[in-house]
Amino acid sequence: MYRLLACIALILATVTAMDRILASALGDLLLRSNDRFMAIYRPVEPEDVPAAKPGTQPHEQPAPLMVKAALAPAPAARPTRGPADVLVLGNSRADNHFPVSALRDMTCGRALNLGMGGAPTVLSALLWEDYVERHGAPRLLILEPTGLVDNPHDLADLPLLAYYSPRIDAFVRQENRELWMANHAFHLMTFNNNQTMRLVAGLLKPADDRTLVGVIPEPLKAQLAAAPEETMTAADANWQAMDRIIRSAQAQGTRVAVVITPYFPTYAGKLKNFDAFFAELKSRLPAGVTVIDARRAVDKDELFMDALHINEDGVRAMFTALEPQLRPLGNCPVEAIASLTAAKGTGTAAGMATGLAADFARGKGGAREDAPFRFHPFH
């Protein structure tokens, strides 16, 4: 009998030890993935922070021709320690609507998109707090606020990150104690999910911007047209989380832009309090927050993937609409390096910038190296 118990104890000890060793090895391996969430927990290497050139601030990235921001004043510069000058938070509408390539060009800074599908604002607050704790505050925070209407008790893709974050681990314990106990009894259980496969794929192939490809199908359009009216509601926990994020950012000198991205017009028409909800949102925001209301900036059916998401072409159209308000929040240099021959008929840098803006408005901006906004492919 004692021999049997000793064998059982040895087996349990071996399983426990192997579980911890394998979980630790897997956790370290996934940390090297290029997944955007791993950027929060991966230590910043010195080469990740661009070196400053003489006469420039550390985070400036001068272009061959610096005319794309000639019409907008540059904000006061300050160093950013972490992997991003511009941070994006929100649910899938943030994830799919803010490609880092576009943000990098429009704001002249490094961008990191932490939008998480299905994530309520309370989860965005945890990601914000983890990022700031490890890397300091970014220069600009873009918050897509429609996570307010998501269930504040939904964990979305958060449980995997509990392996790296005591803050998130405590939240998982609060919201789902059974899951938390299973993950701590057998550490490998933490990695038993689709997110692990996504991170493993990130080790093999760099992830592209997460814009969507496709057009909203006709059956879905018909379904939306026949759907009953809905009311948008937000839990107090989400309102409080949004306020906590914004006030924390402002306290650390971070500019905050609340950007409401487009809704499919038919679906928006089914939301009885569509305008009233966002009017309340705006009234709750602290002073100093830039609000960019792009709910109706895209209205063509072929620019949508579904009721809540625009596709790749829709993102291009949205960024065209966002540019006048979003670009001044970035850190593009104000100097315009120009020549008389490059100017569009005026012989001045201001004239060249005006001509470039006109080209962009006609859809030619992406074809020129000196255009005010160069939109890179997403995939």
Side-chain angles (χ1 to χ4, degrees):
M1 183 64 179
Y2 291 112
R3 183 176 298 177
L4 176 61
L5 292 176
C7 289
I8 293 174
L10 179 60
I11 291 172
L12 289 176
T14 302
V15 169
T16 300
M18 289 301 297
D19 170 70
R20 291 179 180 274
I21 292 171
L22 292 175
S24 178
L26 181 57
D28 291 343
L29 176 67
L30 296 181
L31 197 58
R32 295 197 293 270
S33 165
N34 71 340
D35 184 85
R36 60 198 190 280
F37 296 108
M38 291 297 100
I40 304 175
Y41 306 105
R42 186 169 53 242
V44 178
E45 299 294 335
E47 59 268 21
D48 291 341
V49 180
K53 293 184 178 181
T56 66
Q57 294 296 330
H59 49 269
E60 290 181 351
Q61 299 177 357
L65 288 176
M66 300 179 183
V67 295
K68 60 183 179 181
L71 303 180
R78 63 182 177 85
T80 302
R81 291 186 285 129
D85 303 295
V86 181
L87 198 67
V88 179
L89 291 174
N91 55 18
S92 61
R93 287 162 54 79
D95 181 13
N96 300 133
H97 293 170
F98 291 98
V100 294
S101 58
L103 287 172
R104 187 167 54 241
D105 283 340
M106 185 165 286
T107 64
C108 299
R110 300 161 298 156
L112 178 63
N113 189 328
L114 296 180
M116 179 182 286
T121 310
V122 293
L123 301 195
S124 295
L126 297 174
L127 294 173
W128 165 258
E129 289 161 2
D130 270 1
Y131 181 90
V132 172
E133 180 178 84
R134 289 163 173 77
H135 305 292
R139 189 166 3 96
L140 172 63
L141 170 64
I142 296 176
L143 178 61
E144 211 293 340
T146 49
L148 287 167
V149 302
D150 291 317
N151 182 352
H153 303 291
D154 192 341
L155 294 176
D157 288 346
L158 207 68
L160 174 63
L161 303 183
Y163 181 82
Y164 304 98
S165 167
R167 177 179 286 107
I168 292 175
D169 185 61
F171 183 80
V172 172
R173 181 179 184 179
Q174 170 189 312
E175 295 297 324
N176 191 331
R177 191 170 181 83
E178 291 76 15
L179 175 63
W180 180 86
M181 292 177 65
N183 288 347
H184 280 264
F186 297 99
H187 290 71
L188 284 172
M189 291 289 293
T190 304
F191 301 99
N192 184 28
N193 46 54
N194 292 331
Q195 298 93 282
T196 298
M197 300 305 298
R198 185 192 69 225
L199 267 65
V200 170
L203 291 168
L204 305 175
K205 181 181 178 181
D208 297 317
D209 285 326
R210 294 170 57 81
T211 48
L212 301 174
V213 178
V215 177
I216 186 169
E218 291 298 326
L220 178 55
K221 290 163 63 174
Q223 181 180 346
L224 291 171
E229 290 186 330
E230 300 178 24
T231 301
M232 300 183 74
T233 58
D236 286 341
N238 282 331
W239 286 119
Q240 293 166 13
M242 183 183 70
D243 187 67
R244 191 166 75 249
I245 293 170
I246 293 173
R247 294 192 183 279
S248 168
Q250 290 183 325
Q252 298 175 81
T254 297
R255 286 186 170 187
V256 180
V258 172
V259 184
I260 312 167
T261 58
Y263 283 80
F264 188 62
T266 302
Y267 177 68
K270 297 292 183 176
L271 299 172
K272 294 188 292 184
N273 63 334
F274 188 59
D275 289 318
F277 179 87
F278 288 104
E280 180 184 2
L281 164 65
K282 295 171 187 178
S283 71
R284 285 175 175 258
L285 296 174
V289 174
T290 298
V291 179
I292 305 178
D293 190 343
R295 285 177 294 158
R296 297 182 173 91
V298 176
D299 56 7
K300 295 180 180 178
D301 290 5
E302 62 269 22
L303 300 181
F304 283 84
M305 183 73 177
D306 55 36
L308 296 174
H309 303 92
I310 49 179
N311 58 24
E312 182 180 67
D313 292 332
V315 169
R316 290 191 178 93
M318 182 189 76
F319 265 83
T320 300
L322 296 183
E323 184 175 18
Q325 292 175 276
L326 185 56
R327 184 180 289 284
L329 300 177
N331 198 51
C332 295
V334 296
E335 299 87 358
I337 302 175
S339 66
L340 292 176
T341 55
K344 295 180 72 66
T346 66
T348 66
M352 185 173 68
T354 302
L356 289 170
D359 277 356
F360 182 78
R362 291 194 296 270
K364 300 178 182 178
R368 300 179 54 157
E369 179 61 24
D370 57 347
F373 170 50
R374 301 190 307 280
F375 206 97
H376 294 303
F378 303 136
H379 63 284

